[in-house]
């Protein structure tokens, strides 16, 4: 094996290194999936990665607050996209604050949407909360729905939370 081939193998292995960790034998803690000989659990980071990968859409659309992007105002970050294949508007919203953020969304454009929004939330009041073998879902996705009134809906963003909202067009 040449040095170049060996380096390529190291790069491939390195790309997987932060994915799995045995609970009794690990080097660092950025791993996404932890296990012992009988069970496993995903970390909150695993669930966020999963949530974002499953809700990427096909086209980015503007999501504005006072004419600008939602990029850190009051500790909140947000983005929106359309999934043309599923005919859905997808909004991803993150609250990094220790307090609840109440917000409302007004959908512009000529499209019409169903009267319910599908909401997936990952949150925990304790920003240091972790999943474990004893409590594998302490911080994991929870599915709910909220009602839409016309083209406006209100949502409460829990402290230290990530939400993905999906609106299906009619």
């Amino acid at each position: 094996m040449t040095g170049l081939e060996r380096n390529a193998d190291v790069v491939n292995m390195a790309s997987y290194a932060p994915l799995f960790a045995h609970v009794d034998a690990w080097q660092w803690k950025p791993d996404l999936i932890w296990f012992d000989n009988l069970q496993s659990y995903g970390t909150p980071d695993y669930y966020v990665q999963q949530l974002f990968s499953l809700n990427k859409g096909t086209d980015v659309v503007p999501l504005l607050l006072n004419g600008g992007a939602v990029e850190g105002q009051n500790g909140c970050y947000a983005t929106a996209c359309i999934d043309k294949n599923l005919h859905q508007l997808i909004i991803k919203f993150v609250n990094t604050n220790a307090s609840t953020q109440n917000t409302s969304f007004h959908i512009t454009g000529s499209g019409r949407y169903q009267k319910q929004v599908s909401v997936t939330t990952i949150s925990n009041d304790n920003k240091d909360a972790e999943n474990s073998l004893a409590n594998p879902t302490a911080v994991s996705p929870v599915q709910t729905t909220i009602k839409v009134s016309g083209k406006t809906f209100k949502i409460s963003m829990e402290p230290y939370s990530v939400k993905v909202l999906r609106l299906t067009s009619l």
Side-chain angles (χ1 to χ4, degrees), residues 8-52:
D9 288 342
V10 169
V11 170
N12 288 336
M13 292 298 286
S15 68
Y16 292 102
L19 187 57
F20 293 104
H22 193 285
V23 294
D24 293 326
W26 49 273
Q27 290 181 305
W28 55 76
K29 277 191 121 174
D31 301 284
L32 295 179
I33 300 169
W34 289 74
F35 62 94
D36 66 7
N37 293 343
L38 300 174
Q39 49 191 339
S40 65
Y41 66 90
T43 64
D45 292 339
Y46 167 81
Y47 289 117
V48 170
Q49 293 292 326
Q50 180 186 52
L51 195 60
F52 276 59

Side-chain angles (χ1 to χ4, degrees), residues 76 93 95 99-105 119 121 123 144 146 153-159 161-163 165:
C76 295
F93 198 101
N95 178 10
S99 60
T100 299
Q101 301 291 315
N102 294 309
T103 190
S104 63
F105 292 95
V119 181
T121 304
S123 70
T144 58
I146 57 173
F153 63 93
K154 295 180 180 181
I155 192 156
S156 181
M157 290 294 299
E158 297 86 355
S161 64
V162 176
K163 284 190 188 279
L165 304 101

Side-chain angles (χ1 to χ4, degrees), residues 56-77:
K56 57 187 171 201
T58 56
D59 299 282
V60 176
V61 295
L63 190 145
L64 304 174
L65 173 67
N66 300 324
V70 182
E71 51 187 15
Q73 300 93 327
N74 296 325
C76 295
Y77 300 84

Side-chain angles (χ1 to χ4, degrees), residues 42-147:
T43 64
D45 292 339
Y46 167 81
Y47 289 117
V48 170
Q49 293 292 326
Q50 180 186 52
L51 195 60
F52 276 59
S53 74
L54 295 173
N55 293 285
K56 57 187 171 201
T58 56
D59 299 282
V60 176
V61 295
L63 190 145
L64 304 174
L65 173 67
N66 300 324
V70 182
E71 51 187 15
Q73 300 93 327
N74 296 325
C76 295
Y77 300 84
T79 185
C81 60
I82 298 286
D83 186 325
K84 286 184 178 178
N85 301 322
L86 297 175
H87 307 286
Q88 292 182 330
L89 170 64
I90 303 167
I91 300 171
K92 298 177 199 114
F93 198 101
V94 177
N95 178 10
T96 64
N97 275 321
S99 60
T100 299
Q101 301 291 315
N102 294 309
T103 190
S104 63
F105 292 95
H106 180 73
I107 312 301
T108 60
S110 59
R112 292 184 13 209
Y113 291 90
Q114 290 181 345
K115 300 294 182 193
Q116 283 193 348
V117 178
S118 169
V119 181
T120 305
T121 304
I122 300 173
S123 70
N124 193 299
D125 290 338
N126 176 0
K127 71 176 181 169
D128 297 320
E130 295 182 353
N131 295 341
S132 65
L133 290 173
N135 192 356
T137 58
V139 186
S140 60
V142 175
Q143 290 285 134
T144 58
T145 59
I146 57 173
K147 300 252 187 247

